[in-house]
Amino acid sequence: MDLRDTPDEARFRAELRDWLAASLPDGLRGHRGGAARFEGEAVREWSRALYEAGYAGLTWPKEYGGGGCPYSYQAIFLEEMARAEAPHHLGVIGLGMAGPTIIAHGSEAQKARHLSRILSADEIWCQGFSEPGAGSDLSAVRTSARLEADRFVVDGQKVWSSFAHIADWCLLLTRSDPGSERHAGLTYLIVDMRSPGVEVRPLRQMTGEAEFNEIFFSAVEVPVENVLGEVGGGWQVAMTTLLHERGTLGFALTAALEVAVRKLIELAQDRGATATQRDAIAREWIELQGLRFTAYRSLSALMKTGVPGPEGSILKLQWSEANQRLGKLALELLAQDAQLLADNAPYGGYWQHHQLRSRGNTIEAGTSEILRNIVAERVLGLPRSR
Amino acid sequence: MDFAFTPEQDELRSQARSFLAAHPEPSWAELAGLGWTGVSVPEELGGAGLGFLEEAVLVEEMGRALTHAPFWSTVAVVLPALPPELQAQVAAGEASWTLALGPLVPDLDTATRIAVVGGDSIWELDGAGREMLQTNDATRPLGVVTGGSAGRRLAGSELLPRMRTRSRAALALEACGVGARALELAVAYAKEREQFGRPIGVYQAISHPLATTYMELELARSLALWAAWCIAVDDPQAGLAAAAAKAQCAEAAVAACERSIQAHGGIGFTWEHVLHRLYKRALWIQSWDASGAQLRSEVAARLLDGEGE
Ligand SMILES: Cc1cc2nc3c(=O)[nH]c(=O)nc-3n(C[C@H](O)[C@H](O)[C@H](O)COP(=O)(O)OP(=O)(O)OC[C@H]3O[C@@H](n4cnc5c(N)ncnc54)[C@H](O)[C@@H]3O)c2cc1C
């Protein structure tokens, strides 16, 4: 056990810190997040700069344009990005889900076509899993894919699809066998969002922004070479995507929470805090350290054994609930000023946005109830509730 | 960055777990015979020359087993204040210690010797009477000392903050052991006990609090291991880490016991079941030295007022 950087890790961290200090445009530092980050070209250019400096896809194999680095480098990267308050690479779904799924299940042609373009932010991806009738129970998807000669014809509707309005490609879970039920008969397609018959309608969230969308598919033609994995084997491929959604996110989440806790402490120093609020702030700082070191433990297990430790399954659950508590605590410190928005608001409305956006955290990427089911059944070994 | 135990440390843990399961009331001499009382004592003094991480492994296992021996008092608290020949006695199993810091003294029924603080030094207390009190946790009873006088000078009192940090980290680790065992009992029971024709673990009103318990215990354990590592390498954050860990681990262990009692129904409320003993140890740990709220106020002073940096 040694929580310090190895000499190689320390060198990587120092180089990265220097690079960030020199390369991060001032206008992007401390960017609030949310939908505003997709406006204009600045974040796309920033993403490309990350790619050119070798910081996109650090853990991906070198042959696909990645860095071939150990997972600890990715952790350091996320920590330093958060410390510098640098915005994330634009291709959140591409880097976190599409890429790892294609690496695991893709054909050589798919790998060659997409992987390096994901890293360079030339391709933005979205995830088309949820449907009006299939949310927590993903196996209820009904969007149909009918095989006709050398192509699938897709009809149906997806919902809550983040980034679909800026996406070039979609990870689409479909039902290819109309008589099938549940986990059988599903096929995983990668769909060009510019295909005829694809229509994206943005949905406005409670923050007032539109980060997610409905996607309608009417007779959309998808060539068979765009099947990811086997026809009828879509469920297994979807599980890879979800594993990556929930697994490798731990460090990104911790790093983001660290920024928010730092801002909360500054807010309390600016505005003063009651004894009860001081207690709550200390608790959040302590919980943050617990989360950080749990992510380290899970990462150490991953580096030693190739699979993340079971404790990794709680990171998103804990983070989402902590992030919500932070937002509420900050608004309490702001008192009546918490009602102000945008330019009128202290800190440019950072906390008002944070608090509302955090309500989505316990719903997206698996609700807290579903994550508790997963811990109960897969980690504790309790009998299945369904 | 490496946050995993070595194979030797894992081996020590499995040895401790199986020994303590087979010998729930080990004597001090038995613990010494296993090399545990001298695990961090230098080899030339008859110890194993290891460090706080190995002590951490043992303390966590003793918490799980509710070991009634003055291991925490002796090894986690007093040992750093002992001169070499007295450390050798601990390693050999010839002496065990407790620290009388306030009116209530832990492990007074089992520790053979007593340390006290007076002026700028820590002394051995000679010739004191001991009176045991009726207390909640029978596995770590409290007593009071009467009379006695300062005997041999052990160390300077500037060591006290370090001893307190070690004490807090060790209690945090014990709490992890207590909480993990309470959770295991609840999980086993939820799989086996049937009501309405199904194992009670299928009901989310049972399974979700247990999932929450797992989450809280793992997060708390990460804090305790962080504190232990800080102590092992003399990291300047050790004091802060130990305060954070004690606050979080004690509360997580108490909550784990409470949820486990609830998941057991009537049987969990009985004197015969081990749960109340785990619960009482968790409550003991929570109340000793500083409560969660007091520890968080120390942490808040560091974070918000820049104190203690
Ligand atoms: C901000 C945001 C971004 C998103 N981005 C995407 C995206 O990019 N792509 C995508 O495909 N989806 C996305 N989603 C959708 C998200 O995955 C779903 O909303 C989520 O899985 C829940 O499904 P649902 O909304 O249909 O709710 P439901 O599944 O209908 O759940 C309603 C309530 O019932 C509870 N519940 C359901 N089943 C159980 C059970 N077995 N036990 C206990 N409680 C249960 C839920 O926890 C919830 O509280 C996003 C959602 C949000 C909020």
Side-chain angles (χ1 to χ4, degrees):
Chain A
M1 192 179 293
D2 192 344
L3 301 181
R4 288 166 293 208
D5 289 343
T6 63
D8 285 345
E9 289 166 352
R11 200 171 317 115
F12 173 76
R13 191 188 291 277
E15 282 167 15
L16 171 58
R17 210 173 267 191
D18 290 347
W19 183 82
L20 282 169
S23 317
L24 177 61
D26 269 343
L28 287 182
R29 200 180 296 274
H31 204 279
R32 188 185 59 152
R37 79 194 196 90
F38 310 120
E39 286 159 17
E41 275 297 293
V43 175
R44 196 180 286 259
E45 276 162 28
W46 168 241
S47 309
R48 200 163 297 132
L50 285 170
Y51 169 66
E52 276 158 15
Y55 292 124
L58 277 168
T59 61
W60 291 19
K62 279 207 166 113
E63 51 187 310
Y64 305 132
C69 299
Y71 289 103
S72 57
Y73 281 53
Q74 179 69 4
I76 291 170
F77 171 73
L78 292 166
E79 282 178 358
E80 292 300 323
M81 289 277 283
R83 214 153 276 160
E85 293 187 43
H88 284 296
H89 188 285
L90 192 55
V92 179
I93 306 263
L95 285 173
M97 294 183 228
T101 309
I102 292 171
I103 290 172
H105 298 282
S107 65
E108 285 314 310
Q110 288 165 345
K111 289 175 185 168
R113 180 166 179 189
H114 297 295
L115 291 175
S116 71
R117 294 175 59 78
I118 290 174
L119 296 178
S120 61
D122 286 318
E123 280 181 5
I124 303 301
W125 285 66
C126 66
Q127 176 198 17
F129 279 23
S130 305
E131 296 181 6
S136 297
D137 182 6
L138 191 56
S139 71
V141 297
R142 291 178 49 193
T143 293
S144 74
R146 207 164 13 95
L147 188 59
E148 283 186 3
D150 58 349
R151 59 185 189 267
F152 279 99
V153 179
V154 176
D155 284 283
Q157 180 192 353
K158 295 288 174 178
V159 70
W160 321 127
S161 182
S162 304
F163 320 112
H165 55 302
I166 57 163
D168 306 292
W169 292 88
C170 180
L171 298 169
L172 191 72
L173 190 61
T174 66
R175 191 162 293 283
S176 51
D177 175 353
S180 68
E181 277 182 48
R182 300 194 48 80
H183 309 109
L186 299 174
T187 293
Y188 198 115
L189 297 174
I190 49 188
V191 178
D192 185 341
M193 291 294 280
R194 294 195 184 77
S195 313
V198 175
E199 190 197 339
V200 175
R201 291 188 205 152
L203 292 166
R204 205 161 174 211
Q205 300 164 195
M206 65 161 78
T207 55
E209 302 174 317
E211 280 179 300
F212 60 24
N213 307 268
E214 290 175 298
I215 318 177
F216 295 88
F217 297 88
S218 14
V220 175
E221 299 193 352
V222 181
V224 281
E225 58 264 28
N226 285 15
V227 172
L228 199 49
E230 305 289 322
V231 171
W235 185 256
Q236 290 69 26
V237 185
M239 288 306 102
T240 307
T241 306
L242 294 184
L243 189 74
H244 280 273
E245 178 175 38
R246 286 166 197 169
T248 51
L249 215 57
F251 271 97
L253 299 178
T254 312
L257 195 67
E258 191 174 348
V259 175
V261 169
R262 195 165 66 217
K263 286 184 193 285
L264 181 74
I265 290 170
E266 285 165 17
L267 175 65
Q269 285 170 332
D270 282 1
R271 299 225 158 195
T274 64
T276 315
Q277 289 164 340
R278 288 169 65 92
D279 182 80
I281 292 166
R283 188 188 287 279
E284 293 313 325
W285 183 86
I286 292 171
E287 300 240 1
L288 167 66
Q289 308 312 317
L291 191 67
R292 181 216 308 272
F293 290 109
T294 303
Y296 282 175
R297 277 170 59 208
S298 180
L299 181 77
S300 294
L302 179 64
M303 287 171 59
K304 283 216 161 104
T305 65
V307 272
E311 61 282 335
S313 62
I314 63 175
L315 295 174
K316 191 268 180 178
L317 181 57
Q318 162 70 11
W319 164 79
S320 59
E321 294 181 353
N323 208 37
Q324 292 181 343
R325 290 194 304 267
L326 279 189
K328 291 172 99 160
L329 199 50
L331 292 200
E332 199 188 298
L333 291 166
L334 286 171
Q336 294 181 34
D337 288 353
Q339 291 306 313
L340 302 174
L341 279 188
D343 293 343
N344 295 319
Y347 312 99
Y350 173 90
W351 286 113
Q352 287 82 345
H353 179 267
H354 176 106
Q355 193 272 327
L356 291 173
R357 181 63 186 82
S358 73
R359 298 318 303 177
N361 298 155
T362 47
I363 301 169
E364 60 196 319
T367 68
S368 295
E369 290 73 26
I370 294 303
L371 297 180
R372 283 193 168 81
N373 284 350
I374 290 175
V375 170
E377 291 163 15
R378 305 210 194 130
V379 181
L380 300 179
L382 288 170
R384 288 173 65 86
S385 58
R386 287 151 285 131
Chain B
M1 204 282 302
D2 169 19
F3 202 173
F5 284 106
T6 62
E8 293 75 23
Q9 288 163 343
D10 285 336
E11 176 56 37
L12 178 64
R13 181 183 301 284
S14 56
Q15 181 205 17
R17 188 164 304 180
S18 55
F19 177 82
L20 293 170
H23 306 84
E25 301 274 342
S27 69
W28 192 247
E30 280 176 307
L31 297 182
L34 290 160
W36 296 355
T37 61
V39 74
S40 70
V41 170
E43 280 172 279
E44 61 274 19
L45 299 176
L50 298 168
F52 196 75
L53 286 173
E54 286 74 17
E55 288 171 357
V57 166
L58 293 171
V59 161
E60 191 178 356
E61 291 305 314
M62 289 190 207
R64 157 188 282 274
L66 292 175
T67 304
H68 181 172
F71 192 84
W72 162 74
S73 302
T74 307
V75 174
V77 183
V78 181
L79 194 66
L82 296 181
E85 64 278 20
L86 295 185
Q87 290 197 19
Q89 290 180 6
V90 168
E94 292 156 15
S96 58
W97 288 79
T98 185
L99 176 66
L101 207 51
L104 299 178
V105 185
D107 289 333
L108 206 54
D109 58 334
T110 46
T112 58
R113 297 163 79 166
I114 302 168
V116 285
V117 181
D120 61 0
S121 299
I122 303 169
W123 312 85
E124 175 161 14
L125 181 66
D126 285 338
R130 301 175 181 218
E131 191 188 320
M132 294 312 296
L133 304 170
Q134 278 198 359
T135 53
N136 207 25
D137 174 9
T139 60
R140 183 167 290 148
L142 299 169
V144 290
V145 291
T146 50
S149 57
R152 174 169 182 176
R153 181 179 183 277
L154 301 174
S157 55
E158 70 281 356
L159 267 182
L160 282 170
R162 215 178 116 210
M163 291 159 72
R164 163 164 287 180
T165 292
R166 288 170 57 94
S167 163
R168 287 177 173 177
L171 290 177
L173 287 152
E174 272 193 1
C176 293
V178 170
R181 178 130 172 257
L183 175 61
E184 279 170 19
L185 291 168
V187 167
Y189 194 70
K191 288 183 194 171
E192 147 209 322
R193 171 72 175 168
E194 290 192 7
Q195 284 294 282
F196 302 98
R198 311 173 73 191
I200 57 171
V202 304
Y203 304 116
Q204 289 173 338
I206 294 292
S207 66
H208 283 196
L210 299 184
T212 301
T213 302
Y214 174 78
M215 176 173 91
E216 290 176 1
L217 288 173
E218 288 301 322
L219 292 161
R221 183 158 189 261
S222 300
L223 287 164
L225 297 177
W226 170 45
W229 177 79
C230 286
I231 291 170
V233 302
D234 242 338
D235 188 276
Q237 286 210 296
L240 182 61
K246 160 113 178 9
Q248 205 73 1
C249 295
E251 291 183 1
V254 168
C257 292
E258 289 173 350
R259 297 198 191 105
S260 187
I261 291 168
Q262 183 67 22
H264 277 80
I267 195 85
F269 187 63
T270 61
W271 188 261
E272 282 67 37
H273 204 285
V274 67
L275 270 172
H276 76 98
R277 298 196 292 127
L278 291 164
Y279 186 38
K280 287 167 184 171
R281 175 66 77 90
L283 291 168
W284 193 99
I285 293 169
Q286 190 174 36
S287 67
W288 190 252
D289 176 13
S291 70
Q294 287 166 318
L295 293 164
R296 283 190 295 275
S297 92
E298 287 180 27
V299 171
R302 290 274 284 255
L303 298 176
L304 296 169
D305 318 327
E307 269 173 30
E309 271 169 9

